[in-house]
Amino acid sequence: MDSTTRGRIDKRQAILEGAFTVFARQGYAQACVQEIAAEAGVAKPTVYNHLSDKATLFRHAMEASARTALEERLAALEPLARPGDDLAATLTDVGHALLRLHAGGRSCALRRLLYAEITHFPDLLEITNQYGPDRLNQALADRLARLTLAGRLRAAEPDLAAEQFTSLLLGPLEARTRLGTRTLEDAELRELAEAAVRTFLTAWG
Amino acid sequence: MDSTTRGRIDKRQAILEGAFTVFARQGYAQACVQEIAAEAGVAKPTVYNHLSDKATLFRHAMEASARTALEERLAALEPLARPGDDLAATLTDVGHALLRLHAGGRSCALRRLLYAEITHFPDLLEITNQYGPDRLNQALADRLARLTLAGRLRAAEPDLAAEQFTSLLLGPLEARTRLGTRTLEDAELRELAEAAVRTFLTAWG
Amino acid sequence: MDSTTRGRIDKRQAILEGAFTVFARQGYAQACVQEIAAEAGVAKPTVYNHLSDKATLFRHAMEASARTALEERLAALEPLARPGDDLAATLTDVGHALLRLHAGGRSCALRRLLYAEITHFPDLLEITNQYGPDRLNQALADRLARLTLAGRLRAAEPDLAAEQFTSLLLGPLEARTRLGTRTLEDAELRELAEAAVRTFLTAWG
Amino acid sequence: MDSTTRGRIDKRQAILEGAFTVFARQGYAQACVQEIAAEAGVAKPTVYNHLSDKATLFRHAMEASARTALEERLAALEPLARPGDDLAATLTDVGHALLRLHAGGRSCALRRLLYAEITHFPDLLEITNQYGPDRLNQALADRLARLTLAGRLRAAEPDLAAEQFTSLLLGPLEARTRLGTRTLEDAELRELAEAAVRTFLTAWG
DNA sequence: CATGAATGAGATTTCATTCAT
DNA sequence: AATGAATGAAATCTCATTCAT
């Protein structure tokens, strides 16, 4: 890949990132391509050269951001592959990490935009679901199944267990973060994780 | 209150309802006042006579709709005041009713609009929270406390128990309804209620 | 018709006239709605309130102008209804009047715009033909038929005779006016009329 | 001239032809250089390398096409240099050939573009008139003068006669071809030629 | 009070034209 | 010499909002 091609790719990346930033700040309709171009450091027509119109730009920006978000979440699950002696502690750590990601800027923005534009972009759900909660739940269910086989858990229905784990964990977030407009203290996040794990282990431990 | 005043109030109601309908369909920015006026069956300037501008119109339409939504939910809690012999069955019925409301059109639209515009209308959260999940949780916690006192439950921390009940109940909805774009069969809703109640009673029953 | 309605109609007239003026000056694509609005003395959106888009505006402006042009031409034919003793002189006068109209600003502009945009607006021909040369030829043929019946002409085929009269008359104009960009002296027009009438009467007189 | 130079000239030709094709299809303003480049099979900047800007490109494309059109017309006049015994027949044949050219695609496009852009490119008339109707009329007048000298015609004013011949011949075309948007049957063209020649010979024969 | 008409401001998109390779 | 990429400028159209009736 020569320097020219790389330059073009870099610019495309910059546009997609700038677009997500601006869409997150303003919403789809209020965001103007002018501002996106400025954020990406290019001229307005350059945006149109790369992504044919505003809607296409939106879809691609959402997809790229969703992919990044999933990668971060999957990475946070890693400790479950090698849990120490204290399973509850490991679960709490993982839960804590997931909470932090889920309460973070990118996730909140993705959720807001998804909710906001799902009626205008029905296909958006499929686009982002490629990298959505199902993928995370599945990876988590895999871990829980392994732990059950290893006799450290009694999650006979790992899919359901995984779904309930994330529900217990993330459910309270919506209200606490005031729909993503408030940032939570780390201590508060940890308490939420602990409470969720307690209930979870009561049911499936 | 004479008939003229009543007519005026009716017209205001029609405008607010029309506004919510259109905002729900189009989103805040894409909704145009013209269309709202048409939906309400009045002329555009009449809208401005009643609600000073588009933002005010939005806030009032959201508040009115949130109030209605809360009233519906509180009404659904009533059976817990007189639970029959089978507590699990009553909880399941109530859960089912809440699920139906939560998956319904008005709630989904409210959630979408709230998520979508929370950054542009930070005060919107306070406006709708007057009629939001906290009020519901509190009413539910009251019921759970009574039931605990009556020895039919062991919810020593009724607030937490209530929060977890609604989390278990409503958590899976987001994914299942595809963010409110799919309508669920009644049978599926009932299964969700049963699963939530099972886990809830394992922890607090 | 009350003053309000009249005001609206006046404004519509002003817009159509301004539009024709600007289209004539700039051509369809180069004319911008901004400029048309300025020419008509209204704001840009007012133009869109009356005529839904640029293409519609163009069609209506062309139609209005074509109607005016036909009315002028038909009026110029009047003397043939009461020809004096000298038929050649009357024909020459009428021919002269037609030439003046045909070489005038409105006609030239209409022709230019029609030629220019016929491929983009295939329906334009039908719109303007309602008021086009056919209508003129027919009116002229009527007159020639009457004159033939009165024994003052031998135009056994009045339609053909009328067509040839206008061809002889107007044919040379295109080149002489340099496609409508040069204005001809009245004397030159009269000579053209005389030459045409001479040839015409040699054939049909 | 080496092969490189020839290649360059070929490319210039391709650009001019592509340009005329696109201008004819879209009009000057609506034609975009992108499309012209595509039609010519080159990249956009290559167009600018050969012809400095869009206006220049237009002028050169028009000139080249006008030259071709004149050459075709002059060739069609040839039979008049060696008329057979039947002058009327020869005139009809020539008229027919001229009509065919005049009603053909290139001529119609040239006329449309000339009318359309004469106000923006006043010099266009001079450019195309080098190869315009005057040159044709002159060549025709020459022929008519020769025929008069030879006693086969009585065209004492050959210039006027030539002008009237083309007027009679081509005048009806405008309406019949619907400004060049309809293609005429060969039989119809021949009838037009015969009618024109009849009238012409009545006057000058 | 309700409304038809008018407008100022701003959004998306296109295009002729120029760099850098 | 030819091209992919980038850009400044401008055009159509929409919309929230205000007069005048």
Side-chain angles (χ1 to χ4, degrees), chain B residues 1-204:
Chain B
M1 181 185 299
D2 67 354
S3 65
T4 308
T5 305
R6 163 139 304 285
R8 184 164 168 73
I9 287 181
D10 286 352
K11 204 157 271 191
R12 187 188 168 91
Q13 277 303 335
I15 290 172
L16 287 177
E17 278 166 32
F20 186 76
T21 304
V22 175
F23 283 134
R25 198 162 53 215
Q26 309 276 24
Y28 175 74
Q30 289 97 331
C32 77
V33 178
Q34 178 78 264
E35 192 179 352
I36 291 173
E39 182 87 24
V42 302
K44 215 181 345 171
T46 304
V47 175
Y48 283 91
N49 279 347
H50 284 263
L51 287 311
S52 53
D53 59 14
K54 193 184 178 184
T56 305
L57 176 56
F58 183 56
R59 276 186 256 255
H60 283 82
M62 289 292 281
E63 178 170 4
S65 208
R67 181 180 6 234
T68 303
L70 177 61
E71 284 161 7
E72 292 168 345
R73 278 169 168 73
L74 290 180
L77 244 46
E78 277 309 292
L80 281 182
R82 294 169 305 280
D85 292 342
D86 187 348
L87 179 59
T90 307
L91 274 172
T92 304
D93 286 346
V94 167
H96 187 191
L98 286 176
L99 276 173
R100 224 174 351 212
L101 287 169
H102 201 78
R106 181 194 303 281
S107 289
C108 289
L110 270 168
R111 217 163 27 248
R112 268 204 313 273
L113 286 169
L114 207 52
Y115 269 113
E117 301 305 330
I118 192 65
T119 48
H120 291 95
F121 297 89
D123 58 325
L124 202 55
L125 203 57
E126 278 141 52
I127 292 175
T128 58
N129 266 3
Q130 299 175 268
Y131 315 101
D134 286 354
R135 290 275 298 273
L136 181 70
N137 273 338
Q138 197 179 327
L140 179 57
D142 288 351
R143 298 289 172 219
L144 299 184
R146 296 284 194 106
L147 290 167
T148 300
L149 287 178
R152 307 196 54 179
L153 214 55
R154 284 178 310 189
E157 299 168 86
D159 286 322
L160 180 59
E163 193 175 50
Q164 292 192 345
F165 182 71
T166 51
S167 290
L168 284 169
L169 193 65
L170 308 177
L173 260 195
E174 183 174 309
R176 300 283 179 105
T177 62
R178 306 178 76 79
L179 272 60
T181 56
R182 217 187 54 161
T183 43
L184 298 187
E185 299 295 323
D186 221 49
E188 191 173 359
L189 291 177
R190 178 149 278 272
E191 276 170 33
L192 285 174
E194 284 164 359
V197 169
R198 256 194 319 275
T199 303
F200 177 77
L201 288 180
T202 311
W204 308 91

Side-chain angles (χ1 to χ4, degrees), chain D residues 86-158:
Chain D
D86 188 348
L87 179 58
T90 307
L91 273 172
T92 305
D93 286 345
V94 167
H96 186 190
L98 285 176
L99 277 173
R100 225 176 348 214
L101 288 170
H102 202 78
R106 180 193 305 280
S107 289
C108 289
L110 270 168
R111 222 170 15 254
R112 267 203 315 272
L113 286 169
L114 206 52
Y115 268 112
E117 301 305 330
I118 192 65
T119 47
H120 291 96
F121 297 88
D123 58 324
L124 202 55
L125 203 57
E126 277 142 52
I127 292 175
T128 58
N129 266 1
Q130 299 175 269
Y131 315 100
D134 287 353
R135 291 277 297 273
L136 181 71
N137 273 336
Q138 196 178 330
L140 180 56
D142 288 352
R143 296 291 173 217
L144 298 183
R146 295 286 193 105
L147 289 166
T148 300
L149 285 180
R152 308 196 54 179
L153 214 55
R154 283 178 311 187
E157 300 168 85

